Every structure is written in structure tokens, then in C-alpha cells.
Amino acid sequence: MANTNLIPYLTFENTKSALEYYKRVFGATDVTRESPTEKQAEEMSLNPDVNLDNLTLQASFRVLNQPIYAADSFLGKPVVSSLISLMLEVDAHDSDAESALESLYKQVSDSEEVKVIVTFEKKSSGNKYGQVVDKYGITWIFSAVK
């Protein structure tokens, strides 16, 4: 289907804090965050004394110019799952894209705020590949394919 996008939508216990993490560790850009209004909080049956500024109804950010959306889990504590993976894939023939991907991997892995699963390097296939898990249990796959 043309004109269809698949955009990750992540749920956190504290999206406000997660956004700071992704800015610091992944260099997230174009960060937006919207708190619920009093009316929305009432409609969601939130405790009337809750600090709405600490809650996130919807947020978005970009990593390597790829959009990611997020929000707080209003239905209870989110369950961390190793089943969630996000892959950043670039064309290895595009040296600027490959360089940006490699720089991001280095920034992320050097931060010591992720667990490196696979070091980003050329594999037997000729493609470059690396994998980390962030502090929220999300696997990030870095892939430069020919």
C-alpha cells in the first residue's frame, strides 16, 4: 500500500524521563511532548491531585531522522519486553548515511547506558551490523546493507 508508514509507538511509565534519556544517549531531535489537560485527566479518571506536567499524553522524537512516538502507560505499569526491536537500516553505498549510523552506534555504545549485544562491524555477509539494548529493554539494531 503506497503512502503507508509504520512508526514505532513506545509506552513508558515516565515518558518525560525517557525523552531525556533518548536525547542524551541517542541524540534524539525534534522532541515534542504533550501533557493531558484537566478535562482529559478527568475523562481518564486520573487522581485529581496528580501533577499533569509530569504525565505525557503523547510525545514524539527522531533518531537519525526517523520518527518515534511515545506516551505514558495510563493502564498500569508497562511490561519490559525483549521482544521489541527497532532497526535503523541504511544503504551501505550511501557513505554519509553509513557514517551517521556508525557515529550514532559509537555515541550510544560509548555512553555506557546501553548493553552492547553485537558490536557494529562488518559481518561475513559484507554488511555492517550491531545491536544494543537500552535501559528500557528495547533492542536497537544498527544495519548498513549493500
Side-chain angles (χ1 to χ4, degrees):
M1 197 189 260
N3 298 323
T4 300
N5 295 314
L6 179 64
I7 300 172
Y9 201 110
L10 307 174
T11 303
F12 300 100
E13 189 170 358
N14 183 337
T15 302
K16 189 175 183 178
S17 176
L19 292 172
E20 291 304 315
Y21 171 80
Y22 288 113
K23 283 194 293 191
R24 182 177 69 253
V25 177
F26 285 77
T29 60
D30 301 332
V31 177
T32 65
R33 189 174 88 58
E34 177 186 326
S35 295
T37 64
E38 287 183 23
K39 182 177 180 184
Q40 289 167 324
E42 185 180 319
E43 289 169 354
M44 292 187 289
S45 301
L46 298 178
N47 193 335
D49 64 349
V50 69
N51 182 346
L52 295 179
D53 186 52
N54 288 332
L55 300 179
T56 304
L57 186 62
Q58 182 171 311
S60 66
F61 60 99
R62 290 181 173 273
V63 173
L64 283 187
N65 206 32
Q66 298 303 305
I68 300 170
Y69 285 79
D72 284 347
S73 173
F74 291 100
L75 301 176
K77 187 173 181 174
V79 177
V80 174
S81 170
S82 63
L83 300 176
I84 306 272
S85 297
L86 302 178
M87 181 163 50
L88 295 167
E89 182 180 271
V90 300
D91 181 346
H93 297 102
D94 182 340
S95 60
D96 290 341
E98 185 176 355
S99 178
L101 183 69
E102 192 163 352
S103 292
L104 177 60
Y105 174 85
K106 182 170 178 17
Q107 172 184 328
V108 168
S109 61
D110 286 353
S111 75
E112 299 182 5
E113 294 191 63
V114 300
K115 180 179 180 183
V116 175
I117 305 300
V118 178
T119 304
F120 185 75
E121 59 190 12
K122 188 177 265 188
K123 305 301 178 194
S124 59
S125 64
N127 297 330
K128 286 186 178 177
Y129 178 88
Q131 194 172 1
V132 302
V133 176
D134 72 21
K135 81 179 223 175
Y136 297 99
I138 297 168
T139 300
W140 291 78
I141 300 168
F142 298 78
S143 181
V145 298
K146 293 185 176 199

